């Protein structure tokens, strides 16, 4: 996470990316900052540092409600300001839903910059069991197949009861994986 000391933050981000590169072949690594200004100022240093150190990762920006990238407009503006095709995007389906943006609109705007997808079902701004919220997973999985998306899909489930009833969260995650795989395997 880039903070006020941008130089130190970039060094830490490069060290974290180096570590991630040893865990997986070309993993997506989240690049975050507290403010938009910090993010835009640090991004070129981070991207160039990855290249100089020959660290094979995919740097991605992520939207989250209440951060410097909350909305699709925030995402587009920051990508435009960074203006570097090496910086990719996370399609954060649930958080887009929370701010009133359908994943289709975000996919259309972010296009080939999407390197990672995070899924979470949302109803009334809250995480719910997959298939009980407002996210169109059938359409999303059809889009994944249609476009040949080759990145990872991360399943998230942020139930309010996750600490008091972890077994329900685990059951919910298993159900989510089955739902998404079944939807993905349906004929087009």
């Amino acid at each position: 996470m880039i903070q006020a000391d941008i130089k130190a933050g970039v060094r830490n981000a490069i060290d974290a990316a180096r570590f991630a590169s040893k865990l997986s072949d070309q993993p997506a690594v989240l690049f975050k900052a507290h403010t938009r200004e910090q993010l835009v100022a640090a991004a070129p240093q981070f991207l160039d540092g990855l290249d100089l150190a020959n660290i094979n990762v995919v740097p991605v920006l992520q939207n989250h409600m209440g951060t410097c990238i909350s909305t699709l407009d925030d995402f587009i503006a920051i990508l435009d300001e960074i203006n570097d095709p090496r910086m990719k995007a996370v399609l954060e389906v649930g958080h887009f839903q929370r701010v009133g943006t359908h994943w289709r609109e975000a996919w259309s705007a972010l296009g080939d910059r999407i390197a990672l997808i995070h899924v979470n079902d949302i109803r009334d701004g809250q995480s719910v069991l997959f298939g009980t919220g407002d996210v169109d997973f059938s359409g999303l999985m059809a889009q994944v197949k249609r476009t040949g998306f080759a990145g990872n899909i991360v399943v998230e489930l942020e139930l309010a009861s996750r600490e008091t009833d972890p077994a329900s969260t685990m059951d919910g995650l298993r159900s989510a994986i089955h739902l998404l795989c079944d939807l993905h395997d349906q004929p087009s």
Side-chain angles (χ1 to χ4, degrees), residues 105-126:
E105 183 182 353
W107 191 305
S108 178
L110 298 173
D112 62 359
R113 293 193 95 160
I114 299 170
L116 179 64
I117 298 174
H118 285 189
V119 293
N120 190 354
D121 209 352
I122 304 295
R123 184 176 357 106
D124 299 327
Q126 300 299 311

Side-chain angles (χ1 to χ4, degrees):
M1 173 75 77
I2 304 299
Q3 298 178 26
D5 185 346
I6 290 176
K7 199 174 260 190
V10 169
R11 275 194 312 272
N12 290 339
I14 290 170
D15 286 344
R18 183 177 289 110
F19 176 75
S21 73
K22 295 180 186 321
L23 299 176
S24 177
D25 182 39
Q26 201 174 24
V29 293
L30 298 176
F31 184 67
K32 294 182 170 188
H34 280 289
T35 69
R36 177 182 185 147
E37 294 76 21
Q38 292 166 346
L39 191 66
V40 171
Q45 297 171 48
F46 176 64
L47 295 168
D48 291 344
L50 293 176
D51 286 348
L52 285 171
N54 198 29
I55 299 172
N56 193 22
V57 297
V58 179
V60 295
L61 300 177
Q62 178 183 30
N63 60 298
H64 263 240
M65 192 169 89
T67 69
C68 66
I69 306 176
S70 291
T71 67
L72 183 55
D73 288 341
D74 294 337
F75 221 139
I76 293 166
I78 287 174
L79 284 170
D80 285 349
E81 283 183 65
I82 292 172
N83 193 27
D84 191 317
R86 296 176 293 176
M87 186 63 77
K88 301 298 183 186
V90 175
L91 179 68
E92 182 66 73
V93 172
H95 287 282
F96 274 126
Q97 184 75 32
R98 281 188 170 116
V99 296
T101 300
H102 193 282
W103 65 262
R104 283 187 196 280
E105 183 182 353
W107 191 305
S108 178
L110 298 173
D112 62 359
R113 293 193 95 160
I114 299 170
L116 179 64
I117 298 174
H118 285 189
V119 293
N120 190 354
D121 209 352
I122 304 295
R123 184 176 357 106
D124 299 327
Q126 300 299 311
S127 181
V128 295
L129 293 172
F130 278 66
T132 66
D134 300 324
V135 176
D136 170 22
F137 289 112
S138 180
L140 178 64
M141 290 298 102
Q143 178 79 357
V144 164
K145 280 174 54 176
R146 186 172 40 260
T147 61
F149 177 76
N152 288 320
I153 299 175
V154 175
V155 176
E156 301 175 315
L157 186 56
E158 302 163 346
L159 298 177
S161 63
R162 68 186 171 270
E163 291 181 25
T164 58
D165 188 6
S168 290
T169 297
M170 292 306 295
D171 289 343
L173 287 169
R174 279 189 281 280
S175 295
I177 291 167
H178 289 295
L179 170 71
L180 295 172
C181 288
D182 289 348
L183 289 171
H184 184 269
D185 292 342
Q186 288 181 358
S188 299

